Amino acid sequence: MTIWLIILAAGLITYAMRLSFIQIFERQQIPPSVLRALRFVPPAVLSAIIFPELVLQSGKMDFSPGNYRLLAGLLAALVAWRTKNVLLTILFGMAVIWLLQALG
Amino acid sequence: MQPHELSTPSATTPQTEFLRGVRDELPLLVGVLPFGLIYGVLAIEAGIPPAAAQAMSAIVFAGSSQFLMAQLVAVGTPALVIALAAGIVNLRHALYSASMAPYLRRLSTPWKWLLAYLLTDEAYAVTIVHFSAASSAAHGDNPRHRHFYLLGAGLALWSAWQLSTAAGVFLGRQVPASWSLDFTLALTFIGLVVPTLHDRAAVAAALSAGLMALVTFSLPLKLGLVLSSLTGIALGMMLERR
């Protein structure tokens, strides 16, 4: 089954990341440019996932208020900014989208 | 949480370090348990067989990438692209590895391999605080036992992740689509990314990658994700240099 190959490959890649500097590069200094690039990995990758999830509805960009996911996502981003709490962000965002679905 | 205040340096043993790691990890499990549950539900909704969904939590053992993989499986993304996308999302673990390396340098190879497996976001977060506090407090603390702290924190998280995944896999078939639980993916990432936007360079990296992802979304093989991420990283580095 393909799914098992995917899991094994992703597992190996992830494990290699975790082991990398602990084992393989243990005696080497990390180049400063690599460290600087790594800092931007989470915001860049995660935003590249988030934006289409919020904006694209059935493959088309939708910036209207009728796009509940965009609205709920923006409000959840405010909660994330104020609280820095992932769980609260999720709970709040889900509450908003359920409310919008119930009203709409 | 201030683990160093609790330590009585002369009394550190493998057991006390291990238990301290477990105890410091407990508050983070409050956030982790729902994630595992939601991941299990999402994986089943994506059509992943229960055994494979559970195995992913044991083999990949990295929440956000597992969410992404379930999502990509659901839309029929090619296997190689899914594995690479998971690798990109998990690149940050190389940073954790780099930051842990000085503290684990003296350990045997089996220890290093075991602790690397347990090096998740949440285990790293508490351990790096403990290690840097312990090393600056210096003298009495016994560095020979320090790695048991990471073992405790890592195993606490590992158990919570496996159990909550199992609960989600079990519930998966009973959760209706109208609950929009897949939306928790975007919300999780929003919760993770927004607090990292400390400066203009990070904001620019996030916005440029996000906008690029909208424009490149229709590219084959999810190449847009890679292209967008590289765009954001490059712009962030350029702005930071000034």
Side-chain angles (χ1 to χ4, degrees):
Chain A
M1 261 300 277
T2 325
I3 186 69
W4 289 97
L5 287 176
I6 295 172
I7 291 170
L8 276 180
L12 279 175
I13 293 172
T14 305
Y15 186 60
M17 307 275 185
R18 287 173 172 158
L19 191 59
S20 58
F21 290 98
I22 291 177
Q23 180 68 43
I24 302 159
F25 302 121
E26 70 177 319
R27 296 189 190 287
Q28 292 174 18
Q29 290 295 316
I30 305 136
S33 59
V34 173
L35 283 179
R36 284 179 48 224
L38 282 172
R39 179 164 91 81
F40 294 107
V41 169
V45 177
L46 296 181
S47 301
I49 297 165
I50 295 166
F51 275 48
E53 283 282 320
L54 297 186
V55 173
L56 296 177
Q57 299 300 316
S58 321
K60 290 186 175 166
M61 291 195 211
D62 181 356
F63 290 99
S64 75
N67 181 352
Y68 296 157
R69 291 196 172 210
L70 180 57
L71 199 53
L74 289 174
L75 290 173
L78 279 178
V79 171
W81 180 52
R82 297 293 299 190
T83 67
K84 301 187 191 307
N85 183 316
V86 183
L87 186 61
L88 271 182
T89 306
I90 296 177
L91 294 178
F92 181 80
M94 289 309 288
V96 171
I97 198 143
W98 284 337
L99 188 67
L100 289 171
Q101 281 172 352
L103 296 176
Chain B
M1 191 170 17
Q2 291 173 307
H4 53 287
E5 284 186 358
L6 302 167
S7 59
T8 39
S10 56
T12 57
T13 64
Q15 287 84 356
T16 58
E17 285 294 287
F18 179 87
L19 289 176
R20 191 172 293 150
V22 172
R23 194 180 50 208
D24 289 347
E25 189 65 27
L26 288 181
L28 282 77
L29 298 188
V30 176
V32 167
L33 288 169
F35 290 158
L37 187 82
I38 291 165
Y39 158 73
V41 171
L42 274 183
I44 296 302
E45 279 181 357
I48 297 173
Q54 187 71 49
M56 201 196 288
S57 275
I59 295 172
V60 181
F61 188 34
S64 48
S65 68
Q66 290 180 231
F67 274 75
L68 175 67
M69 288 168 72
Q71 175 87 353
L72 294 180
V73 166
V75 298
T77 312
L80 185 65
V81 178
I82 300 179
L84 286 179
I88 291 172
V89 171
N90 288 334
L91 257 178
R92 67 186 186 286
H93 290 102
L95 183 58
Y96 303 159
S97 185
S99 144
M100 275 291 146
Y103 299 104
L104 308 179
R105 196 158 276 174
R106 290 177 191 167
L107 295 179
S108 64
T109 301
W111 264 110
K112 286 177 178 170
W113 287 51
L114 171 65
L115 293 179
Y117 170 68
L118 294 173
L119 194 57
T120 53
D121 296 287
E122 291 84 0
Y124 169 78
V126 296
T127 303
I128 195 64
V129 172
H130 179 69
F131 280 6
S132 35
S135 70
S136 61
H139 311 309
D141 197 23
N142 190 343
R144 280 191 307 164
H145 302 144
R146 204 158 46 186
H147 54 289
F148 280 92
Y149 182 96
L150 175 54
L151 183 69
L155 283 180
L157 183 82
W158 188 88
S159 313
W161 189 244
Q162 305 310 320
L163 287 174
S164 55
T165 297
V169 165
F170 176 71
L171 286 174
R173 297 150 179 163
Q174 304 166 36
V175 176
S178 64
W179 288 12
S180 303
L181 277 187
D182 61 307
F183 189 48
T184 53
L185 171 90
L187 292 172
T188 304
F189 290 159
I190 289 171
L192 286 172
V193 78
V194 171
T196 70
L197 305 178
H198 301 300
D199 54 6
R200 211 184 336 160
V203 171
L207 285 180
S208 60
L211 292 174
M212 190 74 175
L214 291 180
V215 177
T216 59
F217 192 76
S218 52
L219 285 181
L221 305 179
K222 299 274 169 188
L223 275 176
L225 182 63
V226 180
L227 213 60
S228 311
S229 305
L230 293 177
T231 305
I233 292 165
L235 191 68
M237 290 182 77
M238 271 168 56
L239 284 178
E240 190 186 47
R241 189 169 295 169
R242 291 185 185 170

